[in-house]
Every structure is written in C-alpha cells, then in structure tokens.
Amino acid sequence: MRLKGLFNRDGGTFKTTDMDAFSDLAANIFRDAGHAFECAVVGGGEIADAIHKTVGAEGFDGMIVGGGDGTISLAAGAMYGTDKLLGVVPAGTMNLFARSLGLPLDIEEALMTLAGGKPARVDVPTMNGRPFIHQFSAGLHATMIRNRERLDYDSRLGKISASTRAWVDTLRTIPEIRLSYECAEARGEGAFALVGVANNRIHGNASLFTDRPQGGKLAFYLLKAEEFDSVLGFALSYLAGRIEDSENVTVIETEKLTLDFHSDGIDQSFDGDPIDEVRHAVLEQHPRSLPVIVPADSRLV
C-alpha cells in the first residue's frame, strides 16, 4: 500500500520521544513490509490543517496517524466518507480508539502491527452531520471534562488523577438538564444530570471504550437528576469503568436519536473536548463507514 504518516509531536508519548528517530523507524518498518511510506511530524496547533491537507491529496491508500484521542478523532472525522484507510499509532494518554481496534499501546509495536495488518471497517456516528468516534455528552461528564481541562497532567495516570479531582469539583453542583428525546425504541422527557451518546455500548471496560466497534448502534445513557447518592454512585461507577452497573442509569440502544435541550448554559462535550452548546441534536449511527487498519488476527472485518 501507499501510506502517508502524520505524527503529532505534542501527543503524550511523543513529547518524550526522539521524533526523528521514530520517523526513521516507521519508514523502515513499513517499507520492509512492502509499503511505500513517507511521513511528517507536526505540532498540535498544526495537526488539524495537516490532516485535512493530506486527506485531500491523491495518490495514496491510507494514512498512519500518531497522537492522542483528540488527534485520532480529527483524523477519523476527516477520513469518514472516503475510501482511505486509517492506521492509529496510540501516542496519547488514554488511546481509546486504538483499544477499540485491538491495537497494542506500545508505539513501536503498533507500527509493526499496522505494517502487517489488514483492512476492516468500523462504525462512525454523526451529530448534526459531524462525525465522532467516542461520544457526545451533556451534563456531569461534560462538566468533568471542562474542570479537568483546568488541571495539569502529562501521563495516563496523571489524567486519571485529574479526572478524579475534576469529578470532586463537578459533584459540588449537580446539573439539571431539561431534555426531550425520541428514537424508534423510546421517547420521553425529564430532568437529567447526565446525557451521553456513545459509539456502540460500553461493556465494563475500565477505560470506557467500546470493544464492539462494529455493533451498528448508538448507546444512549441517561442519569436522572434526583438524589445526590444516585449521582455520587454514578461518579464512582464511572471512575471504576463500570457505568452500566449503576441502577440509576438508563441505557437505550438505537440507530438514530433526536435530542432537544430545554435548559440554558449546559456543558457539552464531543469526543472528550468541550464544545459550544447545541440545543437540537440529531445523532445517527453509520455502520462500518470508516476503513481502518487492524491486527492481522483481528475478528474485525
């Protein structure tokens, strides 16, 4: 295959990596596996433009992208709807999408796995036409993300610690989101502390990633804004990676969902980053719409 590489030097692992040496290593690994390969190293402030410029170019079959989940989300969004393959080098702190694809988390092992990997297609949902790979959320989780952004961390353990501290800050004021929702399986309205829509259901993974990237469904999570103990229990379940164990969480699996927010000033997030408030959201799952590279022995096709 003809492959292009883009590495975000500001990704967590890459901050302490000799990127010249890593780029040379990547070139040797892919070329030894029979691929044509060239790569570039760019800063975090340049990565979005570099991704879109590369995706718009011709004469290549896939793009190997190295960075954290934010970088990978940008790449997946740009490559969604094309026939180009996305290869993920997990250089961030959580590396959720790489985990979903079954890739090794060591960056050198990931290169070798991708060089000998195979193509597959995984699901990508959209929110008002905008693709995402993890989740859209409002309320508690989005507020925790906003609070975490104010803290400093430079490792996976640091991010987990920052998330714990951010949850403590978040739980001081429980949001009450007035929401109406509708899908083929259910409709309703009420006051909720958390609203989340994930790319397929999360089944007890400690890092809150889906291990069913070809499930073909949105997973719609609702937590009512009622007793503090219920909300605290959810926060503890979240930190343990077991949000579905909370008896106060409602989960609905669907292919298409409409949300109307009737409250103002709601914290919302998109693939782990805060976003401007959305009042009307149409979310739709697009099964197997993103071509990716997975390990040669993966069950994904």
Side-chain angles (χ1 to χ4, degrees):
M1 288 190 292
R2 299 162 299 172
L3 301 172
K4 293 190 177 183
L6 273 179
F7 303 140
N8 181 355
R9 70 165 63 93
D10 296 321
T13 305
F14 285 161
K15 290 180 181 179
T16 56
T17 299
D18 181 334
M19 293 308 298
D20 287 337
F22 184 79
S23 296
D24 289 342
L25 175 66
N28 289 333
I29 288 174
F30 282 106
R31 289 168 185 166
D32 287 348
H35 304 291
F37 182 81
E38 58 184 64
C39 69
V41 178
V42 299
E46 308 164 17
I47 192 68
D49 287 343
I51 286 172
H52 285 285
K53 183 178 180 180
T54 302
V55 171
E58 298 181 354
F60 73 106
D61 304 304
M63 184 161 63
I64 307 300
V65 181
D69 283 314
T71 297
I72 304 307
S73 178
L74 285 171
M79 298 177 75
Y80 165 76
T82 75
D83 59 356
K84 301 289 195 302
L85 288 162
L86 171 62
V88 176
V89 178
T93 52
M94 303 302 288
N95 302 307
L96 300 178
F97 196 55
R99 294 172 188 269
S100 289
L101 300 181
L103 293 167
L105 300 184
D106 178 85
I107 55 177
E108 293 187 14
E109 289 182 23
L111 290 176
M112 292 185 284
T113 298
L114 292 170
K118 68 175 187 178
R121 301 183 72 92
V122 295
D123 303 345
V124 173
T126 55
M127 188 275 288
N128 292 348
R130 179 181 174 186
F132 63 99
I133 54 174
H134 298 303
Q135 64 178 332
F136 166 73
S137 68
L140 279 175
H141 179 255
T143 300
M144 183 278 292
I145 290 173
R146 185 195 67 187
N147 289 335
R148 189 180 64 198
E149 293 296 300
R150 300 170 179 167
L151 304 173
D152 294 326
Y153 54 86
D154 57 6
S155 68
R156 181 173 183 271
L157 290 177
K159 190 168 187 176
I160 293 172
S161 175
S163 294
T164 303
R165 286 179 287 162
W167 270 117
V168 172
D169 291 339
T170 299
L171 293 174
R172 291 173 181 169
T173 304
I174 305 303
E176 186 170 307
I177 303 168
R178 300 296 307 181
L179 173 79
S180 57
Y181 61 89
E182 182 175 356
C183 60
E185 292 75 13
R187 66 171 61 187
E189 61 180 65
F192 302 95
L194 175 137
V195 179
V197 184
N199 182 7
N200 289 298
R201 197 160 179 167
I202 299 168
H203 293 268
N205 295 311
S207 297
L208 293 177
F209 67 94
T210 182
D211 56 4
R212 302 182 184 184
Q214 296 175 330
K217 299 284 188 178
L218 301 171
F220 178 36
Y221 294 87
L222 288 169
L223 175 67
K224 288 187 175 180
E226 293 180 341
E227 299 295 328
F228 177 79
D229 288 348
S230 299
V231 178
L232 177 60
F234 169 81
L236 294 174
S237 296
Y238 178 94
L239 289 170
R242 307 193 66 84
I243 58 174
E244 293 194 6
D245 289 353
S246 174
E247 61 183 14
N248 300 293
V249 174
T250 298
V251 186
I252 301 169
E253 291 185 279
T254 187
E255 295 178 357
K256 188 173 182 179
L257 172 69
T258 300
L259 304 177
D260 284 292
F261 294 90
H262 307 301
S263 303
D264 294 321
I266 304 166
D267 286 322
Q268 296 179 340
S269 69
F270 195 80
D271 271 355
D273 291 320
I275 60 171
D276 293 336
E277 187 176 348
V278 175
R279 300 300 295 271
H280 175 76
V282 178
L283 299 110
E284 187 171 2
Q285 183 63 283
H286 303 273
R288 306 194 182 197
S289 56
L290 179 67
V292 294
I293 303 174
V294 297
D297 60 354
S298 174
R299 60 180 174 79
L300 301 176
V301 295

